[in-house]
Amino acid sequence: MFTSTFRALCVTLALGGAFYTHGLSAAESPTETQAAQVSTPAEGQVSINDATAEQLAAGMNGIGLKKAQAIVSYREQYGPFTAIDQLKEVPGIGNALVERNSARLKL
């Protein structure tokens, strides 16, 4: 009786831990989690200077992971964006894409 109860308790604790950590990747640190919360405010805007490629892809219409990674690479190479229109300088990002997403973006 004790052994089966102990096993049930261990399984319950293991599953509870799996559900708790499901949203976090192994490479993600607490500071990255806090940055994700800051860069995606309640009104649905995403910061082009702070967001990860995954956040940009999720928050922008017509932007997949590859173009989002290009935005992050551009930002890392040239520094933070000073205007939303500066996104047009990123290879693969055109006028229409910037206009379509202007309400979803912030610096």
Side-chain angles (χ1 to χ4, degrees):
M1 172 76 177
F2 176 74
T3 304
S4 63
T5 304
F6 182 72
R7 284 183 187 161
L9 177 64
C10 290
V11 169
T12 303
L13 291 173
L15 288 175
F19 286 119
Y20 177 74
T21 60
H22 175 69
L24 299 175
S25 69
E28 192 173 44
S29 69
T31 55
E32 290 171 335
T33 303
Q34 292 167 354
Q37 293 169 353
V38 170
S39 66
T40 315
E43 58 268 0
Q45 288 185 322
V46 63
S47 170
I48 60 174
N49 284 325
D50 298 324
T52 64
E54 291 80 11
Q55 291 168 331
L56 288 168
M60 295 177 70
N61 187 9
I63 300 287
L65 193 54
K66 188 172 182 177
K67 285 185 183 177
Q69 288 170 336
I71 293 170
V72 172
S73 294
Y74 183 92
R75 181 178 72 204
E76 289 172 351
Q77 184 174 1
Y78 298 104
F81 293 96
T82 56
I84 301 293
D85 284 344
Q86 197 177 4
L87 275 174
K88 297 173 191 174
E89 297 174 16
V90 178
I93 309 292
N95 231 1
L97 254 162
V98 173
E99 288 177 17
R100 184 181 328 147
N101 289 289
S102 63
R104 299 171 188 215
L105 302 174
K106 69 175 191 165
L107 295 176

